[in-house]
């Protein structure tokens, strides 16, 4: 017997594959259009996926031009992070892997056609010709649901990549606000340090002449010392905050020579009204979209599990056997089934598990929607409330404090008050300036949080 084996998988493959899924999964950047559109809509910036060394080199040059020696604003910081954060590129690679999985599933398994010729006669004619088509019955029976599951996995990967992108943008914007706010506070303390040093020197001089006792001298000295300690603390906070910003932007080497403004932007004239913030959150939030997709997955998986258990893992060999006897050809079917895994009748149990799993996910998603509504209302309340607080400091408290300082200086120049009374007023003025700066920082952080709750990007990604 001289069997002849011929495999014709490729030809059969092309007729069975789903071309749409193949195109989707085999794209150079599969599913990235959704990430780009969502990112642009949510942040106004572009997300970038690098695939080659040349693209990485070009990106490094562009990033260096954007940051090296430059003073950057929040939008540029976010854009650089989206371009240069390698953890985000790793998230995009996960999306690419999911696309490859979708591609492979859409292609399906390769059926094998076996041809064998036996009983060769003296004249070279074969008495028996066997043709068998070998494939997995399980593969055939579950091909459609497996494609659906692979597509859901791919959509899930798209949502995860989008969520990672928006989370990075959100964290970067917050980091920029925090570092600039810290530098602004350190600068305010530094401006008051000179006045405090002058008071301390005056107290020391008066102490040498006997005009001030040691207790009063110590009060002036301790204020100066405390102010120096607070200034050092604020500078440290600013330095650490800047390092976090640099880390989020993926900078290293000479590119860390990047600067931020000395103070946060002034308050806007008003807060953007968002009466539909709950609707925006329910429409755009990535985590809710992922929850809805999970429900689809459970329903689909429930049906797939039933089909799998009914079929288990069965391979079938189907074909035809052609025999040639006495000059006549005979055709008889060939079916050979191999069971690899026992089949159990557990339909009711599986159905109950599926129902309970679905209800668990449905209730979890419903609670997440309730939470999203509440978080949206809280974020809007926070941004409007923090704006009113910051505006109050800017328009009510600081003008009064500055008026007090001006009057104290006039009294001092007229020799109506002492130097230490002037310094005491300056000390109170510094506290007011710091409180106003913190209120402004809190407003900008709350403004950043509003975007995060609408898109559901709150949470660490890096």
């Amino acid at each position: 017997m001289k069997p002849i084996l011929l495999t014709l998988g490729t030809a059969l493959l092309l007729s069975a594959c789903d071309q749409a899924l193949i195109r989707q999964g085999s794209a150079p950047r599969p599913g990235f259009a959704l990430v780009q559109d969502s990112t642009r809509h949510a942040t106004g910036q572009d997300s970038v996926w690098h695939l080659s060394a040349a693209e990485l080199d070009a990106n490094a040059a562009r990033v260096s031009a954007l940051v090296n020696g430059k003073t950057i604003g929040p939008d540029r910081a976010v854009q650089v992070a989206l371009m240069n954060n390698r953890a985000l590129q790793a998230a995009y690679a996960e999306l690419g892997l999911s696309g490859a999985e979708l591609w492979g599933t859409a292609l399906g398994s390769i059926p094998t056609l076996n041809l064998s010729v036996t009983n060769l006669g003296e004249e070279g004619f074969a008495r028996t010709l066997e043709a068998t088509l070998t494939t997995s019955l399980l593969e055939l029976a579950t091909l459609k649901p497996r494609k659906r599951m692979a597509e859901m996995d791919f959509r899930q990967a798209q949502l995860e990549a989008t969520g990672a992108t928006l989370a990075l943008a959100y964290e970067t914007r917050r980091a920029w606000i925090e570092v600039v706010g810290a530098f602004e506070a350190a600068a305010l303390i530094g401006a008051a340090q000179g006045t405090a040093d002058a008071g301390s020197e005056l107290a020391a001089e008066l102490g040498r002449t006997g005009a001030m006792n040691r207790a009063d001298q110590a009060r002036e000295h301790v204020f100066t010392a405390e102010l120096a300690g607070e200034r050092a603390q604020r500078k440290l906070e600013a330095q650490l905050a800047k390092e976090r910003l640099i880390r989020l932007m993926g900078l290293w080497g000479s590119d860390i020579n990047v600067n931020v403004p000395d103070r946060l932007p002034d308050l806007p004239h008003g807060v953007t009204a968002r009466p539909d913030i709950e609707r925006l959150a329910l429409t755009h939030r990535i985590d809710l979209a992922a929850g809805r997709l999970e429900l689809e997955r459970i329903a689909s998986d429930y049906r797939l599990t039933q089909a799998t258990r009914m079929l288990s893992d069965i391979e079938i060999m189907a074909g035809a056997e052609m025999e040639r006897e006495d000059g006549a050809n005979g055709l008889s079917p060939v079916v050979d089934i191999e069971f690899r895994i026992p089949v159990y009748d557990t339909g009711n149990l599986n159905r109950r598990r599926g129902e309970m799993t679905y209800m668990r996910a449905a209730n979890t998603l419903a609670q997440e929607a309730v939470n999203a509504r509440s978080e949206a209302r809280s974020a809007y309340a926070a941004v409007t409330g923090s704006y009113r607080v910051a505006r109050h400091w800017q328009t009510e408290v600081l003008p009064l404090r500055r008026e007090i300082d001006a009057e104290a200086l006039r009294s001092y120049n007229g020799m109506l008050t002492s130097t230490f009374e002037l310094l005491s007023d300056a000390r109170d003025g510094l506290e007011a300036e710091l409180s106003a700066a913190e209120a402004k920082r809190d407003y900008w952080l709350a403004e950043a949080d509003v975007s995060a709750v609408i898109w559901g990007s709150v949470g660490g990604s890096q």
Side-chain angles (χ1 to χ4, degrees):
M1 181 174 68
K2 298 180 179 179
I4 301 173
L5 180 64
L6 180 61
T7 302
L8 301 176
T10 304
L12 296 175
L13 161 70
L14 294 177
S15 63
C17 60
D18 189 324
Q19 295 298 327
L21 294 181
I22 290 176
R23 285 195 298 273
Q24 193 174 20
S26 62
R29 293 173 175 82
F32 195 57
L34 174 66
V35 180
Q36 289 179 306
D37 292 343
S38 299
T39 303
R40 193 174 296 113
H41 189 189
T43 69
Q45 308 302 320
D46 294 323
S47 52
V48 184
W49 186 354
H50 310 296
L51 292 180
S52 67
E55 290 178 354
L56 287 171
D57 292 342
N59 181 74
R62 186 183 172 199
V63 166
S64 183
L66 288 173
V67 301
N68 200 333
K70 305 292 178 57
T71 299
I72 62 172
D75 291 339
R76 180 171 295 189
V78 170
Q79 181 59 77
V80 171
L82 298 182
M83 294 167 57
N84 207 43
N85 187 287
R86 291 304 183 92
L88 186 60
Q89 294 298 311
Y92 293 161
E94 287 289 339
L95 176 58
L97 288 173
S98 181
E101 190 67 25
L102 175 64
W103 184 7
T105 303
L107 288 174
S109 62
I110 301 176
T112 302
L113 177 64
N114 297 327
L115 297 176
S116 64
V117 180
T118 59
N119 298 329
L120 289 176
E122 296 179 354
E123 299 176 355
F125 293 102
R127 293 186 66 251
T128 302
L129 174 61
E130 292 183 1
T132 58
L133 178 64
T134 303
T135 187
S136 169
L137 182 58
L138 177 61
E139 292 281 343
L140 293 176
T142 62
L143 180 59
K144 184 177 179 181
R146 283 189 299 104
K147 287 181 180 177
R148 187 167 57 247
M149 294 299 293
E151 191 174 9
M152 287 185 180
D153 288 341
F154 182 66
R155 290 164 57 192
Q156 181 71 29
Q158 283 183 296
L159 293 176
E160 290 175 356
T162 303
T165 305
L166 298 182
L168 176 62
Y170 165 70
E171 292 176 13
T172 303
R173 186 172 295 276
R174 278 190 66 94
W176 184 91
I177 295 170
E178 288 171 351
V179 65
V180 177
F183 275 121
E184 184 173 3
L188 288 172
I189 296 173
Q193 186 73 53
T195 304
D197 291 341
S200 183
E201 292 174 3
L202 179 60
E205 185 65 27
L206 291 175
R208 283 192 290 270
T209 61
M212 178 175 281
N213 59 38
R214 293 182 62 84
D216 289 340
Q217 291 180 58
R219 290 189 185 94
E220 296 305 321
H221 293 327
V222 74
F223 170 65
T224 304
E226 290 174 350
L227 205 59
E230 186 174 358
R231 185 186 183 191
Q233 178 64 35
R234 296 301 181 102
K235 290 177 70 175
L236 175 61
E237 292 174 359
Q239 182 181 0
L240 296 179
K242 184 180 179 182
E243 195 60 41
R244 170 172 165 73
L245 177 63
I246 288 174
R247 189 163 60 246
L248 289 170
M249 291 193 296
L251 301 178
W252 63 283
S254 60
D255 288 340
I256 66 173
N257 181 29
V258 58
N259 302 310
V260 295
D262 296 330
R263 62 191 304 273
L264 287 168
D266 293 333
L267 293 173
H269 294 297
V271 179
T272 303
R274 297 182 176 92
D276 58 343
I277 191 170
E278 289 185 42
R279 181 189 63 79
L280 293 175
L282 295 180
T283 303
H284 295 303
R285 284 186 68 130
I286 300 299
D287 53 347
L288 295 183
R292 287 191 289 268
L293 184 60
E294 180 64 18
L295 284 181
E296 291 183 39
R297 177 194 300 277
I298 291 173
S300 179
D301 186 53
Y302 171 56
R303 292 190 293 270
L304 177 61
T305 301
Q306 279 193 320
T308 302
R309 284 188 175 274
M310 290 174 60
L311 294 175
S312 186
D313 191 2
I314 305 171
E315 280 201 351
I316 181 172
M317 297 176 63
E321 181 177 293
M322 181 179 293
E323 294 188 357
R324 185 172 186 272
E325 292 183 349
D326 301 327
N329 295 331
L331 187 64
S332 57
V334 174
V335 177
D336 188 4
I337 300 177
E338 179 184 359
F339 289 86
R340 291 186 173 179
I341 299 176
V343 178
Y344 299 98
D345 183 9
T346 56
N348 292 334
L349 176 60
N350 286 335
R351 185 166 56 253
R352 173 58 63 90
R353 286 174 175 166
E355 290 172 353
M356 292 299 101
T357 303
Y358 186 89
M359 290 306 299
R360 181 179 62 187
N363 283 299
T364 301
L365 178 60
Q367 184 59 45
E368 290 176 351
V370 171
N371 294 344
R373 289 177 179 272
S374 176
E375 290 169 4
R377 292 193 300 271
S378 297
Y380 186 64
V383 73
T384 53
S386 60
Y387 177 82
R388 285 194 292 269
V389 171
R391 178 60 70 183
H392 176 77
W393 279 99
Q394 294 288 338
T395 59
E396 300 293 336
V397 179
L398 287 184
L400 290 174
R401 289 302 326 175
R402 288 163 184 162
E403 184 178 348
I404 291 173
D405 293 342
E407 290 300 323
L409 184 59
R410 291 192 189 97
S411 298
Y412 174 76
N413 291 336
M415 303 182 66
L416 299 177
T417 57
S418 69
T419 303
F420 298 110
E421 289 175 319
L422 179 64
L423 293 177
S424 178
D425 289 334
R427 189 179 311 170
D428 294 339
L430 171 62
E431 294 298 327
E433 292 283 353
L434 288 174
S435 296
E438 290 174 357
K440 183 174 62 172
R441 180 205 59 193
D442 291 343
Y443 162 72
W444 285 115
L445 289 175
E447 182 65 35
D449 290 344
V450 168
S451 176
V453 299
I454 290 176
W455 290 89
S457 56
V458 179
S461 66
Q462 313 306 315

